Amino acid sequence: MAMKDAKIEKIDETSFKLDKESKSFTITKKFKSLNLKVGDPVKYEIKGPNINIEKGTEETKKDGNGGGRTGFGAGYGHKTTEIKADMSQFIYPFNFVSLGDENEIEESRGPIKRGDYSGKIVCTLTNLTPISIGSEKSTEFIKFKDKYVIPASSLKGEVRNIVEILTTSCIKNIKEKHLYKKIPEKFKPCKNTEHLCFACRLFGSTGNDMEEMSVSQNSYRGRVFFSDAVIDKNVNTLTLSFLLGGPRVEEGEAAMRRFYTTSSGKIRGRKFFWHQKKLFSKNNLTGDFPQSTKKVMSTVSCIDINHEFKFEVHFEKLTAEELGVLVYALELEKGLLHKFGRAKAYGFGSCEIKVKDILLDNTDKYQSFISSTTKDIKFLDDIKKKYINSTKNHINELKAILAQVNKVSLGYPKPFPDRNALNKFKGKTLPKILEYK
């Protein structure tokens, strides 16, 4: 009997389902060895209670919407455009900023240093590409008191991530146990409040929850506090559908070796997504990302480009160096942008933060804020210049991937290379950020 063509429709811990069959099948060792994912084409043959399955052909398959779907990174249910990148280099929507010098982080660790600066930073955030902010339980754009918001936790997480790189601090956002084991020892999360890295002294530390330790070492609340970023006016949202799978970082997956780890088996660094040129102008988003009821698709709401959010950052007892790093990490340099929210791989969430004012407490903490004068904060320019002029490799990698104009070219609305392009680089890993020409 000739083998039939199908696609993987669903995979869970013990079973998988094909789009051409009504029942599910038990995952076997052979199935695991194929490293298949949802959307991949396969060939199969059913013999009684058993199924014989093989990887499908690498030819482009057509889905019900007529959109091209091809192998790895495909299956988005949307029309595709040709990737015009220089395919002499392997290009993907994300890359990794290296961790930096292990000796530098160890030298910087120490007790909390109380400084003289308390106050608040008044900021605006403009989404230069479409943005989608949701919770785990809802696909709707987050609202608070009938206003669309970017939660304080999202703002803090993004800014902390950048401060960690600038100051060669520990890496906090890895929750997978097998990935945690691949972090170089000195970059593992701080676990002693008397021996904290720069970022933990600034933003706080909940200890290293990947390892057991005494409660007394577990928590320090930090001295920087974000408000939610809020849009003051009513805006319309768009409802779109994407394939928003989690990162393919299971132990033993080919993607782990190809993207996430070095040849020595250590993590490559902190993950960032490239900004994508096409998204900075108006697009037919509802046509390019049409709503879909397929189980593999996620339907979310988003806000189109160029809307302004407002937020504040309160700080307590910072040193001059800490305040300078915080301001630089918020506003960045001209031409560098942040990323927030979902669908970053598609170019969503590129945002510009502007510092509108820095206000310092006067002598009585509970009196009103007073606006800082140029003389009060001129030292910030000198501190920011240290990072603007830095020659450190990992800081230059950060600037390259945060740049609005970059040296990669990703397809729209499908940013992932197709199967044929990936096969061209079979056995190779992503180039480092600064290797793109």
Side-chain angles (χ1 to χ4, degrees):
M1 181 184 294
M3 299 189 81
K4 300 177 182 178
D5 291 316
K7 290 178 185 173
I8 302 292
E9 184 177 274
K10 181 180 179 181
I11 301 176
D12 57 31
E13 292 183 358
T14 60
S15 64
F16 67 94
K17 186 177 181 304
L18 303 178
D19 62 352
K20 300 290 180 65
E21 298 293 333
S22 59
K23 67 176 184 178
S24 296
F25 300 91
T26 301
I27 290 178
T28 62
K29 288 183 178 180
K30 180 179 179 181
F31 182 89
K32 289 181 179 180
S33 71
L34 296 175
N35 289 321
L36 294 167
K37 64 174 184 17
V38 172
D40 277 351
V42 296
K43 287 186 174 296
Y44 73 101
E45 180 183 9
I46 297 175
K47 295 182 177 180
N50 301 318
I51 182 171
N52 179 28
I53 190 167
E54 297 176 2
K55 284 188 176 181
T57 62
E58 293 165 1
E59 296 177 358
T60 299
K61 306 289 184 182
K62 297 289 183 179
D63 68 359
N65 294 329
R69 287 164 58 109
T70 58
F72 183 76
Y76 301 94
H78 314 304
K79 64 183 181 181
T80 65
T81 56
E82 181 184 357
I83 296 176
K84 297 179 180 179
D86 174 8
M87 292 310 294
S88 64
Q89 287 185 300
F90 183 22
I91 293 175
Y92 216 65
F94 60 77
N95 211 305
F96 297 84
V97 175
S98 54
L99 298 178
D101 188 336
E102 287 191 44
N103 294 322
E104 190 175 331
I105 182 176
E106 199 57 31
E107 291 169 3
S108 72
R109 279 190 164 118
I112 298 138
K113 302 171 184 177
R114 302 288 179 180
D116 299 326
Y117 297 97
S118 297
K120 69 178 179 180
I121 305 168
V122 181
C123 303
T124 61
L125 180 153
T126 303
N127 64 303
L128 301 185
T129 69
I131 188 169
S132 175
I133 305 290
S135 67
E136 292 183 4
K137 297 181 179 180
S138 174
T139 59
E140 296 299 313
F141 203 107
I142 292 180
K143 267 188 169 183
F144 182 70
K145 295 183 177 179
D146 291 325
K147 294 182 182 293
Y148 292 110
V149 302
I150 301 173
S153 57
S154 296
L155 299 170
K156 180 180 178 180
E158 164 72 4
V159 174
R160 177 177 181 140
N161 207 21
I162 290 171
V163 170
E164 286 177 1
I165 294 168
L166 296 173
T167 60
T168 318
S169 293
C170 75
I171 182 167
K172 289 285 291 182
N173 62 351
I174 290 183
K175 303 303 180 184
E176 298 86 357
K177 191 73 173 180
H178 61 280
L179 268 184
Y180 168 78
K181 293 177 181 178
K182 299 178 187 298
I183 301 175
E185 192 62 34
K186 292 181 180 178
F187 281 100
K188 289 182 177 178
C190 299
K191 56 187 178 182
N192 186 335
T193 54
E194 295 301 314
H195 195 60
L196 297 176
C197 68
F198 189 104
C200 285
R201 294 197 298 269
L202 193 61
F203 294 100
S205 172
T206 56
N208 186 345
D209 54 11
M210 302 297 284
E211 296 180 2
E212 293 182 4
M213 63 192 66
S214 66
V215 174
S216 63
Q217 292 180 324
N218 234 17
S219 180
Y220 163 63
R221 78 183 186 105
R223 290 164 291 145
V224 175
F225 312 96
F226 288 73
S227 73
D228 294 337
V230 182
I231 292 183
D232 286 334
K233 61 182 181 180
N234 292 325
V235 298
N236 295 321
T237 59
L238 302 172
T239 302
L240 313 174
S241 291
F242 303 87
L243 179 65
L244 298 178
R248 297 173 63 228
V249 294
E250 294 302 318
E251 190 72 74
E253 282 211 36
M256 171 73 79
R257 298 186 299 273
R258 191 165 207 179
F259 299 115
Y260 288 87
T261 57
T262 65
S263 57
S264 63
K266 297 297 183 182
I267 62 167
R268 294 187 63 173
R270 294 174 173 87
K271 184 178 179 181
F272 284 81
F273 289 83
W274 295 101
H275 299 295
Q276 297 178 31
K277 178 180 178 181
K278 177 73 174 177
L279 275 294
F280 288 95
S281 56
K282 282 277 189 178
N283 291 284
N284 178 20
L285 297 175
T286 54
D288 294 332
F289 303 100
Q291 292 187 56
S292 172
T293 58
K294 293 185 177 181
K295 291 182 179 180
V296 297
M297 305 296 287
S298 296
T299 298
V300 302
S301 63
C302 79
I303 292 175
D304 212 342
I305 64 174
N306 295 330
H307 288 89
E308 184 179 270
F309 297 74
K310 295 179 180 179
F311 70 98
E312 295 178 351
V313 184
H314 291 251
F315 54 93
E316 297 176 356
K317 302 291 184 183
L318 299 191
T319 65
E321 177 74 15
E322 288 170 335
L323 181 56
V325 172
L326 177 60
V327 171
Y328 176 87
L330 281 164
E331 197 162 38
L332 299 172
E333 299 172 32
K334 184 176 177 59
L336 305 187
L337 302 174
H338 294 277
K339 276 264 196 181
F340 293 97
R342 298 177 289 206
K344 296 185 186 77
Y346 295 87
F348 282 45
S350 298
C351 297
E352 179 182 47
I353 292 176
K354 290 184 177 179
V355 172
K356 308 304 286 187
D357 204 355
I358 300 174
L359 302 115
L360 300 177
D361 278 344
N362 55 26
T363 53
D364 186 337
K365 179 177 178 179
Y366 296 100
Q367 288 184 10
S368 62
F369 287 92
I370 55 173
S371 184
S372 302
T373 65
T374 303
K375 183 179 179 181
D376 289 330
I377 58 174
K378 68 177 183 179
F379 67 88
L380 294 178
D381 288 335
D382 293 331
I383 294 170
K384 289 191 289 184
K385 282 178 184 176
K386 181 171 80 171
Y387 299 102
I388 291 171
N389 299 325
S390 177
T391 59
K392 292 181 179 179
N393 187 71
H394 62 290
I395 293 180
N396 288 328
E397 287 178 341
L398 175 68
K399 292 180 184 181
I401 203 162
L402 294 183
Q404 179 176 347
V405 179
N406 54 52
K407 296 180 179 179
V408 302
S409 180
L410 295 161
Y412 175 84
K414 176 178 173 293
F416 296 89
D418 63 20
R419 175 73 72 177
N420 291 332
L422 282 167
N423 281 343
K424 182 177 179 181
F425 298 96
K426 191 172 183 179
K428 296 183 179 180
T429 60
L430 277 174
K432 294 180 180 178
I433 290 172
L434 298 180
E435 290 177 354
Y436 289 103
K437 306 299 182 183

